[in-house]
Amino acid sequence: MDQTVRQLGELLLGAVPTAILLATLYLLYTVLVHRPLKAVLAERRCRTEGAVEKARADIAAAEARTADYEQRLREARLRIFKNLEARRQQAMQARAEAAAQARARAQEQVRAARAGIEQDKQQAMANLQAEAGRLASEIVRMVLRPVGAASLVGGQ
């Protein structure tokens, strides 16, 4: 048993440099690899999550700008339609005024033509009256003329 304890002690004594080397290796791994790797992974996670948050914020901002653009587009279309309606109303009003003026001119021309026709009618009536009077005088003269003179006029 003594021999077993001594062998165990030698084994433990031989294992001390391995244990020291293993502890040193663990310390070096922790200091040189594990901590920087952990820091890099944390930074990467932070940047990734930050990029995702930034992307979400950019998407929200883009949606807000899109909504604003669509609102301004609707307002611009509404203004255009109102302008078109106003122009259409003005054109219809101008057309109605032009038609009223044309009607008034036509009525004035009709009045002037009727007055001219009436004046021509009066003049024709006066001419007819004068001609009727002259013809009546000639007929009376022809009827009242002596009989002998009538044969000379007829050519017999």
Side-chain angles (χ1 to χ4, degrees):
M1 167 124 165
D2 237 0
Q3 188 178 1
T4 306
V5 171
R6 193 170 28 123
Q7 282 178 350
L8 190 59
E10 284 177 13
L11 198 59
L12 282 175
L13 192 58
V16 168
T18 303
I20 290 175
L21 185 62
L22 188 62
T24 305
L25 187 63
Y26 178 75
L27 258 162
L28 288 175
Y29 168 77
T30 302
V31 171
L32 295 177
V33 176
H34 186 68
R35 284 184 187 166
L37 183 62
K38 196 173 173 183
V40 168
L41 288 175
E43 183 180 344
R44 188 177 85 181
R45 175 173 282 133
C46 181
R47 285 186 182 178
T48 303
E49 289 174 0
V52 168
E53 289 300 317
K54 185 178 182 301
R56 286 182 186 148
D58 289 346
I59 289 171
E63 286 175 353
R65 283 189 304 240
T66 302
D68 181 50
Y69 172 75
E70 288 173 353
Q71 180 64 29
R72 286 188 288 155
L73 187 62
R74 278 191 295 272
E75 290 171 357
R77 283 183 182 154
L78 184 63
R79 280 194 307 269
I80 288 170
F81 288 137
K82 284 183 179 178
N83 285 341
L84 286 175
E85 182 64 24
R87 286 183 183 175
R88 188 181 67 79
Q89 289 291 336
Q90 288 174 349
M92 287 181 67
Q93 186 177 9
R95 191 176 309 139
E97 288 174 5
Q101 289 175 355
R103 250 186 256 113
R105 281 193 308 262
Q107 287 175 352
E108 186 59 37
Q109 288 174 351
V110 166
R111 274 190 223 113
R114 281 185 182 163
I117 289 172
E118 186 64 32
Q119 189 178 23
D120 288 347
K121 176 184 156 190
Q122 292 298 328
Q123 188 178 6
M125 290 291 279
N127 288 341
L128 282 175
Q129 287 288 17
E131 185 68 22
R134 187 187 63 77
L135 284 176
S137 300
E138 193 174 322
I139 290 173
V140 167
R141 191 175 46 93
M142 292 284 268
V143 169
L144 294 180
R145 175 171 71 146
V147 175
S151 59
L152 290 175
V153 174
Q156 296 179 9

